[in-house]
Amino acid sequence: MKKWWIRLITIVALGIGMLIILERKDIPYRRPAITVNSGDYIEYEDLCEQFVRNHLMDENKGIYTNYRPSEETKEWSTGHEVLSESQGLYMMYLVNRGDKEGFDAILRYVREFLTSEDGMIGWRYNKENNELAQSNATLDDLRIIKATLLAYKQWGEEDYLAVAYKLASRLYENNVKDGKLYSCYDETYKELTSSIPLCYFDFEALNYLKEIDRRWGEVYQNSLKIVERGYLGDAFPFYAFEYDYETKIYKEANTIRMTEGILTVLHLAQVGEHRDETIEWLIKALRDGAIYGEYDKITGKPINNTESTAIYACIAQVAKVIGDQELYDLAIDKMLLWQIQNSESVLNGAFGNEDTQEVYSYDNLQALLAF
């Protein structure tokens, strides 16, 4: 009984402290206004957003992984399955845009369909068999929590604060051990994965969390050290893919996938911890032609000619954060090459393949955040 009361008092105290801190005007809850001009691309943004709203979500506002349905469930998500990743990305877009009605609808979906009875956000939901994944994805949880805290700051409704606090508390209990953040918690087996991709450290979210709960301060510092020590060098100024807590080594392949690599850079840029060498490399690569899906980590040379909407979109987001107009324009111009421009097609405005009808939510949602 005594332990129960102690836990209750602790929760109440933390909640009160969070309310006080969030009301303080000196807490940097938003990054400084961007200095790049993104207004020239409103037409393209509107087309993409209309496609997402009208053709990439179900009646409950769950966003499909892919426009094209799939009849089988795989280890990774396919077809009309809904991801916590997609919901969180769209929440960030809507709160940035000031769309409260839209935001509330997506948050409602997260609470009703993606949150387990134990309060954990499952990374995937399959509507056909009403099956919620029994494990989470830390990056997606952090993004949802961040968006909800920003909603509270913007619209002032305490329900946002309560939801964010509850989700953050569950994430800490499940995915933090000895001040270290782990990528995945299995609710069935009560187990953590031993490693975490470096792109999973959303430092902006962690920065917000450490302002409302001091326990996250240790997590922030430990996470930043892991990423900084994973730097590959100035010749190819990106970061290792994954760190293993048990072996204390970076799990590296011979190649670096730029989808994850750019996301790591974006998370660093959002808290001012990016490297100038990385920005210079990106600008030069875009001036010279393109940025590809995979690179040899030693030579820094591309190993294929695959390009990606999401890569260019995340580069544009980096440019917005640091206020680099040239980098922004270079990235957006490349990104727009992948947008379907066909007013006769249901896919008009989408980023994807019109012939195969493969149109992924991740590409389109990152594109929206890039505009």
Side-chain angles (χ1 to χ4, degrees):
M1 179 66 72
K2 184 177 180 181
K3 289 183 178 179
W4 183 86
W5 274 103
I6 291 173
R7 186 177 182 185
L8 177 61
I9 292 170
T10 301
I11 291 172
V12 171
L14 285 171
I16 293 172
M18 182 168 57
L19 281 167
I20 294 171
I21 290 171
L22 281 172
E23 287 298 324
R24 284 169 45 190
K25 300 302 182 183
D26 59 332
I27 296 299
Y29 251 78
R30 301 305 300 272
R31 296 187 298 274
I34 63 170
T35 57
V36 301
N37 174 25
S38 58
D40 294 340
Y41 304 102
I42 291 176
E43 176 186 353
Y44 305 102
E45 175 186 357
D46 288 346
L47 284 173
C48 180
E49 216 259 337
Q50 288 170 25
F51 170 79
V52 171
R53 282 182 182 267
N54 296 330
H55 303 293
L56 205 58
M57 62 173 62
D58 64 25
E59 67 278 7
N60 295 312
K61 308 302 180 184
I63 302 171
Y64 302 140
T65 299
N66 189 351
Y67 172 77
R68 183 175 178 177
S70 174
E71 295 182 357
E72 57 180 326
T73 299
K74 300 180 180 179
E75 183 178 348
W76 61 93
S77 186
T78 59
H80 286 186
E81 294 172 325
V82 176
L83 304 180
S84 57
E85 173 184 72
S86 304
Q87 302 301 107
L89 285 169
Y90 200 38
M91 287 170 70
M92 283 300 303
Y93 173 74
L94 293 169
V95 75
N96 288 339
R97 194 176 185 180
D99 184 347
K100 184 179 185 303
E101 182 180 355
F103 182 91
D104 287 347
I106 303 300
L107 178 58
R108 190 178 307 116
Y109 187 97
V110 170
R111 299 176 70 176
E112 292 182 7
F113 297 99
L114 289 177
T115 305
S116 72
E117 293 182 1
D118 205 31
M120 185 192 77
I121 300 174
W123 73 274
R124 174 173 65 181
Y125 175 70
N126 188 317
K127 179 182 177 181
E128 295 303 315
N129 56 20
N130 193 33
E131 183 176 88
L132 177 64
Q134 296 301 300
S135 57
N136 73 332
T138 297
L139 171 58
D140 306 337
D141 292 11
L142 287 172
R143 190 184 288 120
I144 288 170
I145 293 165
K146 175 170 66 173
T148 308
L149 286 172
L150 290 174
Y152 170 73
K153 191 65 176 177
Q154 180 158 327
W155 296 307
E157 293 186 8
E158 292 187 5
D159 186 51
Y160 295 132
L161 185 62
V163 171
Y165 180 62
K166 186 176 182 180
L167 293 175
S169 296
R170 176 56 61 192
L171 179 63
Y172 190 93
E173 290 176 19
N174 287 348
N175 290 74
V176 176
K177 180 181 178 181
D178 299 326
K180 301 178 181 67
L181 186 65
Y182 288 75
S183 64
C184 176
Y185 176 77
D186 190 302
E187 201 169 43
T188 301
Y189 298 100
K190 311 299 181 186
E191 292 179 349
L192 287 167
T193 55
S194 66
S195 59
I196 185 167
L198 270 60
C199 67
Y200 268 45
F201 294 116
D202 185 334
F203 292 110
E204 187 175 45
L206 293 173
N207 195 38
Y208 297 161
L209 285 171
K210 70 184 178 70
E211 297 292 348
I212 62 175
D213 183 345
R214 64 182 60 186
R215 296 179 301 173
W216 288 98
E218 182 183 13
V219 177
Y220 180 95
Q221 293 301 327
N222 288 335
S223 302
L224 187 58
K225 287 178 184 177
I226 288 172
V227 174
E228 288 180 335
R229 291 171 181 171
Y231 184 63
L232 298 176
D234 293 348
F236 187 59
F238 293 92
Y239 298 82
F241 170 65
E242 191 172 30
Y243 181 75
D244 191 295
Y245 288 115
E246 290 185 357
T247 62
K248 298 182 180 180
I249 62 172
Y250 292 92
K251 299 168 69 174
E252 301 178 15
N254 293 325
T255 63
I256 295 296
R257 295 183 300 190
M258 293 303 280
T259 302
E260 291 90 355
I262 298 297
L263 195 56
T264 300
V265 174
L266 174 60
H267 291 154
L268 289 168
Q270 287 172 336
V271 292
E273 296 289 350
H274 62 286
R275 289 175 174 263
D276 291 340
E277 292 85 354
T278 307
I279 305 305
E280 293 167 3
W281 188 97
L282 290 171
I283 291 174
K284 184 179 185 303
L286 287 169
R287 284 175 180 168
D288 291 344
I291 291 178
Y292 300 103
E294 288 187 78
Y295 284 79
D296 185 293
K297 72 173 186 179
I298 303 299
T299 66
K301 302 295 184 183
I303 64 169
N304 60 39
N305 61 355
T306 302
E307 296 177 70
S308 162
T309 297
I311 290 175
Y312 292 128
C314 287
I315 294 171
Q317 291 174 59
V318 170
K320 288 173 70 174
V321 171
I322 67 175
D324 192 308
Q325 186 71 54
E326 181 184 10
L327 179 60
Y328 183 78
D329 289 339
L330 286 168
I332 285 289
D333 288 346
K334 284 291 185 181
M335 185 185 83
L336 288 175
L337 295 176
W338 298 94
Q339 187 173 34
I340 298 168
Q341 301 284 342
N342 181 359
S343 60
E344 301 298 319
S345 171
V346 68
L347 300 180
N348 187 44
F351 289 86
N353 189 315
E354 187 174 10
D355 294 330
T356 65
Q357 295 196 329
E358 297 281 356
V359 178
Y360 289 95
S361 59
Y362 187 75
D363 286 326
N364 285 271
L365 296 170
Q366 289 289 13
L368 286 177
L369 286 167
F371 285 121

